Each structure stands twice: as structure tokens, then as C-alpha cells.
Amino acid sequence: VLNMKIILIDDHALIRAAMISALVGSRFEVVAQASSVNEALAMINTHNPDIALVDINLGSATGIDLIKTAIKSGASCKFVILTMHDDEQMLEEVKLAGASAFITKGSPIEQVIQLLNAVADGVNKFLKVGEIKVTPIKKDFALSKRESEVLSFLPTGATATAIGGLLFLTEATIKTHLASIYRKLGASNRAQAVSIALENKLITN
């Protein structure tokens, strides 16, 4: 199937924005977003998506609760868990709840899209991406003032040209700053940089 409808369920608006930006140009169309279980259940009901990409931590409830409730109420979409945490017990709980796959937020976006494609194509075994542990992050990232400014625009999905326009810098200069930011954060793409920056409070939600 060419166009697949996907719903993003994460209590961090910045992570949702980064994921929307990362999925541009793929076969996945983000039809709705939600930040809580109740909101997500309503969205699943309304939009009938092919895939729901679900964070584990959703305020007072969890993504696992959401999956169990949605399946009980007859949701036909596939569920993919997206989380910062990666441990075997959680993996088992996710499988038992009825999820189709498990992705860690540190995974390269190419791997994430590859996994979403496999889920969309109906691979009938539980899939996991992010087997390789992300290198531990050093807490002092030593970003310059300008790099911090550029970083603050990443969750909006703005292009290098657009960020350059806002900061009165050339696109080439912004791309140089981005390369430096990714290197200092240990990130390989925008979604990963936003995730790491959020986790380490370099940007606020």
C-alpha cells in the first residue's frame, strides 16, 4: 500500500514534531497526534489509522495501557512502541499487550522507517529496532550560543534555509552549525538530535 495513515502518540510535542519532519517524503502520512491515552483513543476511533506510533510514558498511564484498551475496543491498527527505555521486561510487556514492534528513540530514522515499512507490509513477527545501544551521552555538550539557537529551531521542522533566514545567516552556515550540533550530541539525524536535546534539557517542551 502506498499511503499509510499513522498517528503519533507522545506526551512531548517536540518529539512529535521531529517525527513528523522525519517522515516527510516517506509513504507514511501523519493524520493526527495525541499526548494522552484518552486523546489517542479518540483519534484512533476517528481516523482509523494503519499504524499508531506510541510512547511508553503518557502521563498518568502508559502506552501499554493504551494498546490493551484500544485492542479491546476493536481498533484494527498496528501498534509500534517508541521509547527511550530498552529493557527485556518492557519488551515482553509490549509484546503481550499486542504491539507489532518496538523502537528506541535513539534509532537512526532510516531504521525506523524500514521497521514501519515492515509493519505496514504485514510482517507477522514481532520486530525490534535499536538493538545496538546508543553511545552514552556526555552531559557537557559544549554547544556554542549560536549552535544552541539553531538547535532550538529543529523541533519546528524548519529547513536550513528557513533557519538561516530567521537568524540572518546563509544556508551553508546553518548546515555547518547543524553538522557540529549532531557531532557534539552524538546524533545522526534531526529526530535523534531533538530527542537527545530534550532528554538533557537543552531545549524545553
Side-chain angles (χ1 to χ4, degrees):
V1 183
L2 286 178
N3 269 354
M4 303 296 287
K5 293 190 294 182
I6 194 166
I7 284 184
L8 302 179
I9 303 156
D10 194 302
D11 60 349
H12 285 299
L14 296 182
I15 296 286
R16 297 198 306 270
M19 192 51 73
I20 288 170
S21 172
L23 291 173
V24 169
S26 73
R27 70 199 274 206
F28 300 101
E29 182 198 351
V30 178
V31 292
Q33 337 173 21
S35 58
S36 69
V37 170
N38 288 343
E39 208 181 347
L41 290 168
M43 293 294 178
I44 289 168
N45 220 3
T46 306
H47 294 278
N48 192 23
D50 298 292
I51 294 176
L53 194 56
V54 184
D55 188 16
I56 283 279
N57 300 318
L58 294 171
S60 57
T62 69
I64 293 170
D65 298 327
L66 165 65
I67 293 172
K68 287 177 179 170
T69 308
I71 289 173
K72 263 186 202 157
S73 62
S76 60
C77 63
K78 305 264 181 71
F79 293 94
V80 175
I81 286 282
L82 178 68
T83 179
M84 285 283 188
H85 314 287
D86 184 6
D87 64 70
E88 288 308 312
Q89 190 189 340
M90 183 177 290
L91 205 55
E92 282 310 309
E93 285 182 39
V94 166
K95 272 188 204 176
L96 288 171
S100 298
F102 181 95
I103 298 173
T104 52
K105 282 183 182 174
S107 309
I109 195 61
E110 298 77 20
Q111 282 183 25
V112 174
I113 289 176
Q114 202 177 9
L115 181 139
L116 290 173
N117 277 325
V119 170
D121 293 336
V123 173
N124 59 3
K125 68 182 181 92
F126 184 82
L127 299 166
K128 184 181 176 214
V129 79
E131 301 280 1
I132 302 155
K133 294 281 185 217
V134 181
T135 317
I137 311 302
K138 54 181 191 302
K139 294 300 175 188
D140 180 16
F141 299 101
L143 294 179
S144 69
K145 186 166 181 285
R146 182 62 88 191
E147 284 166 354
S148 294
E149 281 179 330
V150 172
L151 177 63
S152 71
F153 285 105
L154 293 193
T156 65
T159 61
T161 314
I163 296 171
L166 292 163
L167 296 176
F168 304 104
L169 296 169
T170 65
E171 182 186 9
T173 304
I174 296 298
K175 284 184 171 170
T176 304
H177 285 314
L178 286 173
S180 177
I181 290 166
Y182 290 178
R183 182 176 52 76
K184 288 179 179 179
L185 296 186
S188 56
N189 56 58
R190 184 184 288 236
Q192 209 177 350
V194 170
S195 189
I196 292 165
L198 197 62
E199 192 184 7
N200 291 278
K201 299 184 170 50
L202 299 176
I203 46 180
T204 51
N205 193 10

